[in-house]
Amino acid sequence: MKISSRECNGDDGEVDDSHSRSPSPDPTIETWQMETDAVTVIEKQDKLSAPIKNDIEQNSMVKLASKLNGAVVSLKKAPSKEKPNKDQLFMTALHTTNPFKTIATRKESSPSLPESLTSCLRSSLFPRVPPYLKFISHDETIPLKIPTAIQKHLKWKLTTITPIVVKKTLTNSGFRLVKSECDTAECPQEETVDWIGIWGKHMKSIMFRAIKDGQKMNHFPGTFQIGRKDRLWRNLQKLASKYGVAEFGIMPKTYVLPHDLKILKHDWEKYAANNERWIIKPPASARGTGIKVVSRWTQIPKKKPVVVQRYVSKPYLINGSKFDLRLYVLVTSVHPLRIYLYKDGLARFASVKYNDELSSLNDRYMHLTNYSINRLSKNYTPNEDFAACEGHKWTLQTLFQYLKTEQNVDINALWESIKDLVIKTIIAGEASISSLTKANITSRYNCYELFGIDVLLDEDLKPWLLEVNISPSLHSASPLDIHVKGPLVAAVLNAAQFHVPRAEQAGLPYDSRLYTVYLSKEERDKHIIYTNMEDRDLYLRDILSTLTPDDVRHLLQAEDELTQSGALQRVFPTRHSHKYLPYLAGPRYYNRLFDAWETRYADDREPGVELLRALCDMGYHLQTPGVPLKRAAAQQLDRCRMTWTRRRRPPRRGPPCPRSRRSGPLRSRSGPSLPQAPRAPAQTRCPARRLSRRPPRCSPAPSAAPAASPSPSPPSPSPSSSPSPPPPSPPRTDLNMNECDEKEHC
């Protein structure tokens, strides 16, 4: 490991942190130290000839104080029987590639949190990584005890759709719910609140740019690509046309009207002899709004935007009733893709027994399984016991137990088919979501999302995708709902891995370098090499041989995340998930990196974790390139993007002060064309016209200059007088929105 004078400063232990946007830790807060194995390093070459100080000779060690990630680290004495002389110290510092003589074990180098913080924070598996906040269940009777220095920053922005179970989980975990932009009524001067989390509605992709570093939102940009039924079908249709219906025929055939009206008419006549049933749905609604089952062509709206699906007329029945499954899927990262499937869920039954007669198509309580619809039925029976197979709502685990014991169903095979459907559903929108996330998010820390996926089982127990909810209901009106959704919320928030902002916690701050999206030249080169490899065996063999700092950051976050999965099962990436990689929109480097990692360490993760720990011990994961665009410039370009709507016209080069906006020769109202005047010199042009030009917003405004003299020929400057300021430069005409987009790295 190369050690420079920037890293080792013997005077005050400060590190040049120009590439990091992390706030400085509060010096008034007590810090804890991370123990690492020792190496003695000479800090500056010009000090090598100086005699070793008496305190170093007495203790046989050199204490190197350096601020790495906000934590003061003192290196311990290297185990040696003889005192090292200065030549040995110099050679150790100059030639060693690993400044730590032995790789620290997990017990030795893991940071130890003070007892006052262990109740509210959990340590990372890796050194020099800030700890994460703990979230406890909503039904805990004793809230977490959090020090005041940390609790004052635990602010959660409240929205109108924040579920009650989420509110209870947050308050038990020490958060303060902030309702408006102003924190309290006593501080109206505050424009914003430094909240660290929000559970709200999905918003337009460009609005995600307002999320600050250190804040998390429960959505990704562009997830409407699978949240809307029409977009979901279009994306699945593209994959099915490329890879076959056998792979991506997971959704009943759908027609998006009015665009597909002719195709629907053709297929309608094709299946008319079989009395085919069709279901009409609005493209972007939920809770059963606007859904109906039809069988006549006259019932189809011809101009209204709707989706029409072939109705699954032979569903799997339990006690004569139709049911569907509500699955909860957590996506913590899009690039690389990481998907978790909640092991529990809901089975929602129709309140009227099913029959396939045409006369019963108008009975919504028979054909629709939405809870918001069936709870209004007089036949609806609530289920108060989550372990009982009764009523019209069961837990997913109770359903599987019933199918296994009463119906002799292979639950493992059914669960595997459900996981396959979930992965392909997320892959359907991965290309658009990844592209919009890259364009509007500058930190991998900012986003996570919980999806609600509705699945219907047919008589052969094949799962069919019905729809995807990007804001699934977490309303808990019964003990059964609380049993399912309470642990789900705590598991989702823990897997999202929140840090404390400004990090007064024990001197180890949240560091934006851990979540940077910028790459060094070497990292970009590696991405290009392994992205262009066509043979999987090649990148499996070599991609892990040399890990870059960016690789280490991605891998350590995934390993920390996996420890908090609990009731969440990671279904992608896994040891066998590489079969889905060809379905993604082109090869992606990080997905290949995780494919190789899981192939090597899925069965025994300990060697992989120890490898990452050894690299983190050296601070290898904190080596990041500089941010290519300063914050002020980014804001200026963003303003340019929002205000400019067209290219500016180039300046005219005609007469000095034409009154007409038309170019070309001047014309009189009653006479022939007047001859065009020759081009005037720059000094004799109309000063009023020149001063009326304003510089574009994307370029810095020129310095203020006194008004030009109206005289057509200014006097020549005398040698004794100071030179007059140059006239304002004409506006740039080659700068447009596209250039702003490129400079914005979008």
Side-chain angles (χ1 to χ4, degrees):
M1 175 182 175
K2 184 178 179 180
I3 299 180
S4 63
S5 59
R6 250 177 54 175
E7 295 173 339
C8 304
N9 189 343
D11 297 333
D12 54 7
E14 293 291 330
V15 172
D16 182 7
D17 204 18
S18 60
H19 296 322
S20 174
R21 293 174 288 175
S22 304
S24 301
D26 192 341
T28 61
I29 304 301
E30 138 183 82
T31 64
W32 90 85
Q33 295 181 350
M34 297 182 297
E35 296 182 356
T36 57
D37 287 342
V39 63
T40 53
V41 181
I42 298 300
E43 298 170 357
K44 294 182 180 179
Q45 187 173 359
D46 56 356
K47 293 185 179 181
L48 293 177
S49 59
I52 301 177
K53 297 182 180 180
N54 293 332
D55 56 342
I56 298 179
E57 293 178 349
Q58 293 174 359
N59 298 310
S60 301
M61 63 178 293
V62 176
K63 290 186 176 180
L64 177 64
S66 62
K67 240 179 195 180
L68 293 174
N69 197 21
V72 179
V73 181
S74 295
L75 299 182
K76 299 189 300 183
K77 176 182 176 181
S80 177
K81 296 182 179 179
E82 298 180 358
K83 296 181 179 180
N85 55 36
K86 60 181 181 181
D87 295 332
Q88 292 174 343
L89 297 177
F90 172 72
M91 296 302 293
T92 301
L94 184 63
H95 295 291
T96 184
T97 57
N98 183 356
F100 304 102
K101 292 187 177 180
T102 59
I103 296 178
T105 63
R106 177 176 300 182
K107 182 178 180 181
E108 292 171 341
S109 64
S110 177
S112 57
L113 289 170
E115 293 183 359
S116 59
L117 300 177
T118 54
S119 61
C120 61
L121 299 176
R122 62 177 176 87
S123 299
S124 170
L125 292 175
F126 310 98
R128 301 182 186 179
V129 175
Y132 307 98
L133 289 168
K134 283 184 180 179
F135 291 88
I136 62 174
S137 180
H138 71 289
D139 56 356
E140 292 288 341
T141 57
I142 302 177
L144 291 179
K145 295 181 180 180
I146 302 176
T148 306
I150 296 178
Q151 191 170 21
K152 66 181 181 181
H153 295 292
L154 301 187
K155 300 176 184 178
W156 192 278
K157 190 171 182 180
L158 198 61
T159 66
T160 56
I161 68 166
T162 305
I164 296 177
V165 65
V166 174
K167 296 178 184 178
K168 291 182 178 180
T169 302
L170 294 172
T171 53
N172 281 353
S173 303
F175 278 80
R176 185 154 50 99
L177 304 181
V178 180
K179 293 184 179 180
S180 63
E181 288 190 352
C182 185
D183 193 7
T184 60
E186 291 78 359
C187 59
Q189 70 277 7
E190 291 189 9
E191 295 182 357
T192 58
V193 173
D194 293 330
W195 49 268
I196 67 174
I198 183 173
W199 194 288
K201 295 181 180 179
H202 196 276
M203 56 187 183
K204 293 183 178 180
S205 298
I206 196 172
M207 301 300 293
F208 282 82
R209 299 182 184 181
I211 302 178
K212 299 179 181 179
D213 196 15
Q215 295 178 335
K216 275 186 182 289
M217 185 176 185
N218 63 318
H219 292 290
F220 283 98
T223 52
F224 63 88
Q225 291 287 346
I226 59 176
R228 288 180 58 99
K229 301 176 184 65
D230 50 355
R231 300 290 183 90
L232 175 62
W233 168 251
R234 293 299 190 201
N235 292 322
L236 286 172
Q237 192 179 33
K238 291 178 183 178
L239 294 171
S241 61
K242 187 174 182 179
Y243 300 106
V245 178
E247 288 293 336
F248 281 91
I250 59 177
M251 189 175 183
K253 189 169 184 180
T254 305
Y255 306 84
V256 181
L257 302 187
H259 184 271
D260 296 338
L261 187 61
K262 292 183 179 180
I263 303 176
L264 175 61
K265 178 64 174 177
H266 176 270
D267 291 349
W268 190 286
E269 295 174 353
K270 179 180 178 181
Y271 298 107
N274 300 329
N275 293 325
E276 190 74 21
R277 296 157 182 80
W278 308 81
I279 184 168
I280 302 174
K281 302 179 181 179
S285 65
R287 301 181 180 180
T289 305
I291 300 179
K292 57 182 179 180
V293 183
V294 299
S295 61
R296 298 191 304 273
W297 177 253
T298 56
Q299 295 175 295
I300 300 294
K302 308 302 187 295
K303 297 182 179 180
K304 186 178 179 181
V306 295
V307 295
V308 179
Q309 283 183 345
R310 290 188 62 187
Y311 185 66
V312 181
S313 58
K314 294 183 178 181
Y316 191 88
L317 304 178
I318 293 181
N319 298 328
S321 296
K322 177 183 175 181
F323 67 94
D324 73 346
L325 308 179
R326 165 57 62 90
L327 308 174
Y328 296 100
V329 178
L330 173 65
V331 176
T332 57
S333 174
V334 176
H335 184 45
L337 186 60
R338 293 199 297 272
I339 307 173
Y340 293 84
L341 176 59
Y342 190 47
K343 296 178 182 178
D344 208 347
L346 297 174
R348 304 171 299 183
F349 289 80
S351 54
V352 175
K353 294 186 181 299
Y354 180 81
N355 69 72
D356 57 354
E357 296 179 0
L358 295 178
S359 59
S360 65
L361 293 183
N362 293 329
D363 193 342
R364 292 164 57 88
Y365 302 133
M366 176 187 299
H367 296 281
L368 303 184
T369 57
N370 304 75
Y371 166 76
S372 57
I373 293 177
N374 282 276
R375 67 185 178 89
L376 303 176
S377 172
K378 62 181 181 180
N379 298 323
Y380 182 79
T381 304
N383 185 5
E384 302 294 337
D385 186 2
F386 62 86
C389 299
E390 59 185 24
H392 292 99
K393 184 185 288 189
W394 299 1
T395 67
L396 189 63
Q397 291 298 322
T398 302
L399 173 67
F400 283 172
Q401 184 65 25
Y402 173 85
L403 293 176
K404 182 178 180 180
T405 57
E406 301 294 333
Q407 305 291 334
N408 296 323
V409 174
D410 186 356
I411 299 302
N412 294 330
L414 176 60
W415 185 245
E416 290 298 322
S417 62
I418 289 176
K419 291 194 295 184
D420 178 76
L421 179 142
V422 166
I423 295 173
K424 290 177 179 177
T425 301
I426 301 299
I427 286 178
E430 185 267 348
S432 300
I433 298 172
S434 179
S435 176
L436 290 172
T437 300
K438 182 179 180 180
N440 297 284
I441 296 296
T442 57
S443 174
R444 293 182 291 105
Y445 179 80
N446 291 142
C447 297
Y448 66 98
E449 186 150 2
L450 178 68
F451 297 95
I453 298 182
D454 293 341
V455 175
L456 178 70
L457 300 178
D458 65 10
E459 59 180 357
D460 298 324
L461 287 174
K462 177 184 177 180
W464 290 93
L465 174 64
L466 299 181
E467 62 182 16
V468 178
N469 296 273
I470 58 177
S471 294
S473 173
L474 296 178
H475 179 65
S476 302
S478 66
L480 184 143
D481 289 325
I482 294 175
H483 174 79
V484 173
K485 300 174 183 179
L488 169 65
V489 171
V492 167
L493 295 178
N494 280 315
Q497 302 197 126
F498 285 77
H499 292 294
V500 178
R502 298 191 184 88
E504 275 83 354
Q505 84 275 20
L508 192 60
Y510 161 79
D511 196 335
S512 61
R513 291 176 296 181
L514 293 171
Y515 301 94
T516 182
V517 296
Y518 303 113
L519 301 175
S520 65
K521 182 181 182 302
E522 293 77 10
E523 290 167 343
R524 290 195 301 269
D525 291 342
K526 185 182 179 184
H527 282 218
I528 294 173
I529 292 172
Y530 287 99
T531 301
N532 292 328
M533 283 187 178
E534 297 182 359
D535 191 356
R536 178 173 178 261
D537 294 334
L538 289 179
Y539 74 76
L540 287 182
R541 184 188 64 186
D542 298 332
I543 197 170
L544 298 179
S545 59
T546 304
L547 293 177
T548 65
D550 180 65
D551 295 340
V552 175
R553 288 191 292 270
H554 280 80
L555 292 171
L556 70 87
Q557 289 155 18
E559 291 297 323
D560 274 341
E561 186 180 279
L562 190 59
T563 62
Q564 298 301 307
S565 57
L568 296 167
Q569 180 182 358
R570 192 166 78 178
V571 297
F572 191 98
T574 62
R575 185 182 183 91
H576 306 289
S577 62
H578 61 86
K579 64 181 180 180
Y580 298 101
L581 295 183
Y583 303 147
L584 298 172
R588 300 196 186 276
Y589 171 80
Y590 292 122
N591 292 331
R592 291 186 167 187
L593 175 70
F594 276 89
D595 179 22
W597 184 265
E598 291 298 319
T599 301
R600 183 174 299 183
Y601 298 114
D603 295 335
D604 184 10
R605 312 197 76 87
E606 193 65 22
V609 171
E610 291 298 333
L611 172 63
L612 296 178
R613 289 181 59 80
L615 296 172
C616 292
D617 274 333
M618 297 185 291
Y620 186 66
H621 62 302
L622 298 178
Q623 299 178 14
T624 57
V627 179
L629 191 64
K630 293 183 179 180
R631 185 179 299 275
Q635 292 176 353
Q636 189 177 17
L637 289 176
D638 189 68
R639 182 179 61 180
C640 168
R641 176 200 303 274
M642 298 299 293
T643 54
W644 285 23
T645 58
R646 61 180 180 179
R647 293 173 61 96
R648 287 180 176 269
R649 293 182 178 178
R652 292 187 299 264
R653 302 188 182 276
C657 289
R659 293 184 177 274
S660 174
R661 293 184 177 271
R662 294 176 296 179
S663 61
L666 295 176
R667 297 176 180 269
S668 65
R669 294 185 178 180
S670 61
S673 302
L674 299 178
Q676 186 173 358
R679 180 180 176 185
Q683 292 83 358
T684 61
R685 290 189 183 184
C686 178
R689 173 183 164 194
R690 184 170 67 246
L691 292 177
S692 64
R693 296 173 182 167
R694 291 188 300 175
R697 297 189 181 183
C698 287
S699 59
S703 58
S709 172
S711 174
S713 59
S716 59
S718 61
S720 59
S721 62
S722 60
S724 60
S729 60
R732 289 183 58 188
T733 60
D734 58 340
L735 185 62
N736 54 22
M737 285 184 62
N738 294 333
E739 289 191 40
C740 293
D741 289 348
E742 293 176 0
K743 294 185 179 182
E744 193 81 3
H745 296 277
C746 296

